[in-house]
Each structure stands twice: as C-alpha cells, then as structure tokens.
Amino acid sequence: MELIDEILQRENVLTSIELVRRKGGAPGVDGMTVDDLRLLPESHWSRIAKEVLDGTYMPQPVRKVEIPKPGGGVRTLGIPTVVDRVLQQAVLQKLQPIFDPTFSDASFGFRPNRGAHGAIERARMHMASGRRWVVDLDLEKFFDRVNHDVLMARVARRVKDKRVLLLIRRYLQAGMMEGGLVSARAEGTPQGGPLSPLLSNILLDELDKELEQRGHRFVRYADDCNVYVHSQAAGARVMTSLERFLREKLRLKINQAKSAVARPWERRFLGYTVSRDKRPKLKVAPESVKRLRQKLQPILRAGRGRAIRHTVARLSPILAGWKTYFSKADCVDVFETLDRWIRRSLRGLIWRQWKRPNIRVQQLKQRGLTPVEASLVAYNGRGPWFTSGTRLLGQALPSQLFERLGLASLAVRQRRIECTV
C-alpha cells in the first residue's frame, strides 16, 4: 500500500476528524466550524479522496490572523479550513512515525511526550556540567521565511510517494486571505495548521545533526535553540559558524537583535531563567511575570461591576495553567508575590463595590471588625489600592475567602529554596 493510501484510509481519516474536532479552533475562509464536520456527507470525503489520489486537490487559502507577540510585534497565523485541517492531520499521523524516531534527542518542541519541562531540565543539566555560557539563537521570522524547496528536499529524503509530496507542497503554497484578497506564498509555513510543526522540525533537524556532529551540548524547542559552552570566546565562534551554516544550508537568518552570547542567568529560555548557583536553580523569568500581570489586569478591571465569584472563575483557569507550566521553578518568591498582588486586587474590587462609607462600615462589622476598626478603614480617605493593602481589610477579607470561591494559591510549596540573583 502506498503512503497516500494509508493517509486516506477510513480509520486514519476518522481519527483525524475526531482530533480536529477536539482541538477546536476558529473557522477558515469558508466559515465552516469544527462542529460542522459531523454534518459532512460521506460522498464529500469520497470526492476529496479521489482528488488527492488524482493529484487535482487544491487546498483553500488560509485565513490570516495576527496575534501580539509577548516581546512586541505580531505573530502571523494561517488558519486553514477545517477540511484542510483534517487532511493535514491525516498526513501528520502517518508522517510523524516516519520522522520522529530519527530526530535528535536534544529536540523537544512539537514532539510526542517531549515538552517544555524536558527541555528546561536538559538545559539545566548542561549548565550544571560547567557550561556557564549560552549561545541563544533566535531565527528571524522562522515560520514566515522557510524556503519551500529546501524543506521539500528534506521531506523527500524519506517520503517517496510523489502524491504526498505534491499535497504537502500545495499546502505550503496555499495563498493567504486577508480582507477578502488572496496573496500567493512563495516561502514560509505559517503556524495554524497541524502539519506546520512537524515540517519545522524536519527542516531544523539538520541544524540539530550539525550541532551533534560538532559535539555541542544544546537544547532546541521549535525555533528556539540554546547551545551551552565553557567560555564567551567559544560562544562567539559558535555563533559565527552557525550563522553561516543556517544561511548557506537552510537559507535562514539569525535575528541579531534577539540572539546573543551571554550568561544563562541573563537570558530566558521558554519563560524560565536560572540562578548563578553552581547547581543552577530554575526561576520564572521577569518577563513571564510581567506577561501574566498584563493578562490578568483586564479581567480585574472588568470585575469592578461583577460579583467577585465571576472574576475568580475567570482568573482560576489562567492561574492553574501558569502554575502548572512554571511548576519546575525552584525559587518560589515570585509565586508568593503574585499571590499577594492577586488577593490585594480582589480586595480592592470588593472595596469599590461597597461604594459608600456607611455600607463599608456595615460590611466590615459583619466580617468581624469592631465598630472603631471598621470606621478607621471606611473613613481613611485613601484609595482602593492603599486600603486593599491594610491589615484590617486583610483581616476582614482573608485569603481563605478567595480559596472558598475556588482561587487556588500559586505558592504551594512548604520548603523555601534560597536563590541567588
């Protein structure tokens, strides 16, 4: 059986449909949603399969979506139609077992059972071995600049079915729609489709193999690559040679503004940074804390006119995900600081909602303050932020109140670890 026949097998396509439906996501240019997949007739899929086999199937343009990047600028996504997402997922399910076993052990992004936590631990291991300098590589607009010919040459080394190669190339070349106009694409594999992550790893595996051949210790997560060396001079040599390799072999450019040879504690990797200790301790990077605050602030502002339980319900899933992602951090001070800031912000919301001093006195007395204490707080003449940080309001609105509403603490560890700056 040819590879294209395996891709179009009924069981493989049904699995693909279920995965696309489970992942959800926005519709493509045709407006079809993932729930509409249930309503598609069997004859529609038969026609698509026949066109793929005949080599006449043409993917629809992807819908251009721009989202803000944490460090500034925008990231361009290309959202395929749900039908094209199903086909891409079906291709992925057959290509992944072919390519993934051959990928480097130092590659962690977009791979089964190899996530960010594994990459972080591997990086810490390299630093603990005495490699106290890092070559931090950032590829300039990687997903927008992938050369189609270079990428397809790497895919063709293992995929011999020409119909599969044709289908992949057509996905790469599918136009991008913005404002009703479709622009052709001569390079790039925009994020948004199921197949793009695997294609990016296929291309960058050549970088991994080059680093392995040179004997370097490195970690790569998608297009974020860190090489760990013993000295600044060694790092400078590595940076220069890798810049030449990427330009000549893969036709990729290093983003000079975001790449550097530096101490690991001066850089961040996947949202983490490290302490200067001989055995480096993992810390949440300051930029990650700033991004979390920026994400929570609109929710807190919107909570001024709503019951506090609604605000807590919106905060909780974000905090739970953040807590899980940064659970590898050894230094907990930042978690404790964030806990205090969030609870203080919630106390400020409640204080605003009580509005008038007489209502505030009444509410505070109901929560255990004496009439004198309640009056001192209610008539202090200061704003909500100052008042929310006072001992007496904290006594009236303790942390346990928010815990009962479902707000979990970020700082769950009992044992504190001292971390150097």
Side-chain angles (χ1 to χ4, degrees):
M1 184 183 293
E2 296 288 335
L3 180 58
I4 194 67
D5 298 313
E6 294 181 28
I7 289 170
L8 296 173
Q9 274 186 316
R10 178 180 175 82
E11 289 183 2
N12 189 53
V13 173
L14 289 176
T15 300
S16 176
I17 291 173
E18 180 57 29
L19 284 173
V20 169
R21 287 187 58 246
R22 196 183 307 162
K23 291 177 182 176
V29 295
D30 61 357
M32 182 178 176
T33 69
V34 292
D35 292 331
D36 294 333
L37 286 170
R38 298 176 179 176
L39 307 177
L40 284 179
E42 189 79 22
S43 59
H44 186 70
W45 289 109
S46 299
R47 177 184 60 79
I48 292 173
K50 183 177 184 305
E51 290 179 1
V52 171
L53 289 170
D54 293 343
T56 59
Y57 180 77
M58 298 298 295
Q60 294 194 61
V62 297
R63 183 168 63 86
K64 183 177 181 179
V65 176
E66 292 183 338
I67 59 174
K69 294 176 71 173
V74 294
R75 176 178 287 110
T76 300
L77 301 183
I79 309 299
T81 64
V82 293
V83 170
D84 281 321
R85 296 215 289 269
V86 168
L87 263 177
Q88 285 194 35
Q89 180 65 37
V91 173
L92 173 67
Q93 288 163 186
K94 293 302 178 180
L95 290 191
Q96 191 106 48
I98 295 173
F99 284 96
D100 194 80
T102 69
F103 288 156
S104 168
D105 186 52
S107 167
F108 288 86
F110 304 134
R111 297 183 60 190
N113 304 313
R114 296 176 68 83
H117 284 179
I120 291 295
E121 285 294 353
R122 183 67 61 85
R124 171 157 57 179
M125 182 184 73
H126 293 327
M127 288 180 273
S129 70
R131 291 167 173 81
R132 309 281 281 178
W133 289 87
V134 61
V135 182
D136 186 352
L137 291 175
D138 185 276
L139 299 178
E140 188 174 277
K141 296 183 178 180
F142 170 72
F143 286 94
D144 298 332
R145 297 282 175 83
V146 170
N147 182 282
H148 292 173
D149 291 334
V150 173
L151 171 57
M152 290 306 302
R154 272 69 185 168
V155 176
R157 291 173 182 174
R158 294 186 175 274
V159 174
K160 303 304 179 185
D161 192 322
K162 293 183 178 180
R163 290 170 295 182
V164 176
L165 296 174
L166 177 62
L167 182 61
I168 295 172
R169 184 176 279 276
R170 283 181 174 166
Y171 274 123
L172 291 173
Q173 295 175 337
M176 182 173 286
M177 179 175 287
E178 182 182 19
L181 299 175
V182 177
S183 57
R185 279 214 323 268
E187 62 180 5
T189 170
Q191 295 164 278
L195 199 52
S196 290
L198 175 64
L199 295 178
S200 68
N201 272 334
I202 291 173
L203 181 62
L204 291 177
D205 184 60
E206 189 147 339
L207 170 63
D208 298 341
K209 296 299 192 289
E210 177 69 16
L211 290 169
E212 288 176 342
Q213 185 176 348
R214 298 183 187 186
H216 288 308
R217 304 291 179 89
F218 70 99
V219 182
R220 184 176 65 79
Y221 190 96
D223 58 333
D224 197 350
C225 184
N226 278 4
V227 185
Y228 296 91
V229 295
H230 286 287
S231 69
Q232 186 176 18
R237 290 193 298 271
V238 171
M239 178 70 82
T240 300
S241 62
L242 288 181
E243 184 176 11
R244 183 170 56 251
F245 171 82
L246 289 165
R247 183 180 65 252
E248 294 177 356
K249 296 292 186 180
L250 302 182
R251 300 189 192 177
L252 296 171
K253 290 179 62 178
I254 289 178
N255 187 327
Q256 298 291 348
K258 295 184 178 180
S259 301
V261 177
R263 295 292 197 178
W265 49 86
E266 296 172 350
R267 308 293 291 178
R268 68 179 185 272
F269 181 53
L270 302 179
Y272 284 81
T273 187
V274 295
S275 68
R276 297 170 182 253
D277 302 280
K278 187 174 182 181
R279 170 67 178 172
K281 297 180 179 67
L282 294 176
K283 303 165 63 177
V284 181
E287 294 88 346
S288 300
V289 178
K290 181 180 178 181
R291 287 201 297 270
L292 177 65
R293 285 177 176 261
Q294 290 173 339
K295 190 172 186 178
L296 298 184
Q297 281 169 342
I299 298 174
L300 292 167
R301 282 194 296 269
R304 293 178 181 179
R306 307 188 67 186
I308 201 70
R309 67 176 180 275
H310 293 302
T311 301
V312 169
R314 291 186 65 191
L315 293 175
S316 292
I318 298 172
L319 295 175
W322 200 86
K323 177 180 176 179
T324 299
Y325 184 81
F326 288 105
S327 61
K328 302 296 290 184
D330 300 307
C331 309
V332 299
D333 288 4
V334 64
F335 295 93
E336 296 167 353
T337 301
L338 283 168
D339 272 343
R340 289 193 294 270
W341 174 72
I342 292 166
R343 280 148 184 76
R344 183 172 178 178
S345 299
L346 292 173
R347 290 187 185 103
L349 286 180
I350 295 173
W351 188 251
R352 286 177 180 274
Q353 291 169 1
W354 289 344
K355 295 184 179 178
R356 295 191 299 274
N358 62 322
I359 296 176
R360 290 168 175 171
V361 169
Q362 182 182 357
Q363 292 287 347
L364 292 170
K365 287 194 296 184
Q366 290 176 3
R367 286 163 172 76
L369 296 193
T370 67
V372 173
E373 290 173 332
S375 296
L376 281 173
V377 179
Y379 293 96
N380 66 23
R382 307 297 291 267
W385 183 249
F386 175 87
T387 305
S388 64
T390 61
R391 177 185 60 82
L392 288 173
L393 190 60
Q395 182 180 322
L397 301 173
S399 296
Q400 291 85 343
L401 166 67
F402 305 114
E403 290 172 6
R404 288 195 296 270
L405 291 173
L407 188 72
S409 172
L410 292 174
V412 295
R413 296 181 184 175
Q414 300 299 317
R415 184 173 65 91
R416 295 177 57 85
I417 298 177
E418 295 299 326
C419 294
T420 57
V421 177

